[in-house]
C-alpha cells in the first residue's frame, strides 16, 4: 500500500502537475496517519524542484505509455521529440 501511495504521489506530481522533486530519497519521505487512520505521505526537503513545460510533460507521459505498451515507433518518436536518443534512427 505504501509503495502504491509513493508511486501515485510522484506520478501525479510529474504527469499531472509537471513538478519534479529532484531529491526523492527515503530520508525525504515521512509517513503519518490522519485522524481516521489513513496513510499519508509527507514529502520533505522542497529546496530542489524542476518545473516541466506542458509540452515536455505531455511528451514524457506519452513516452512512458509507449514504453509500457512496447510501442517501438512511439518510443522513438517521443524520445526524439524530447531531444533524446539518436537522430536518424
Amino acid at each position: 500500500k505504501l509503495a502504491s501511495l509513493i508511486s501515485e504521489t510522484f506520478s501525479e506530481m510529474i504527469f499531472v502537475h509537471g513538478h519534479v522533486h529532484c531529491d526523492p530519497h527515503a530520508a525525504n519521505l515521512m509517513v503519518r496517519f490522519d485522524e481516521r487512520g489513513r496513510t499519508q505521505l509527507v514529502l520533505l526537503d522542497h529546496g530542489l524542484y524542476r518545473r516541466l513545460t506542458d509540452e515536455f510533460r505531455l511528451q514524457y507521459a506519452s513516452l512512458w505509455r509507449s514504453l509500457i505498451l512496447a510501442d517501438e515507433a512511439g518510443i522513438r518518436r517521443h524520445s526524439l521529440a524530447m531531444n533524446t536518443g539518436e537522430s536518424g534512427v
Side-chain angles (χ1 to χ4, degrees):
K1 184 175 179 176
L2 181 57
S4 291
L5 179 59
I6 292 169
S7 178
E8 290 169 10
T9 299
F10 281 94
S11 292
E12 181 175 335
M13 285 174 53
I14 294 168
F15 297 115
V16 176
H17 303 289
H19 297 291
V20 178
H21 188 297
C22 297
D23 197 17
H25 55 81
N28 283 339
L29 303 175
M30 184 173 76
V31 178
R32 68 179 181 188
F33 300 96
D34 69 10
E35 62 280 350
R36 293 185 179 163
R38 294 177 295 195
T39 306
Q40 294 181 323
L41 180 65
V42 180
L43 301 179
L44 306 172
D45 190 1
H46 300 280
L48 189 57
Y49 272 85
R50 173 86 183 198
R51 175 80 171 123
L52 304 178
T53 65
D54 285 340
E55 179 182 354
F56 187 90
R57 179 181 57 85
L58 294 172
Q59 287 291 344
Y60 189 61
S62 295
L63 172 62
W64 272 102
R65 183 176 189 277
S66 295
L67 288 165
I68 290 166
L69 297 175
D71 173 10
E72 291 181 35
I75 293 168
R76 185 176 294 109
R77 182 175 61 254
H78 299 298
S79 294
L80 292 173
M82 294 186 312
N83 201 29
T84 62
E86 297 179 23
S87 60
V89 174

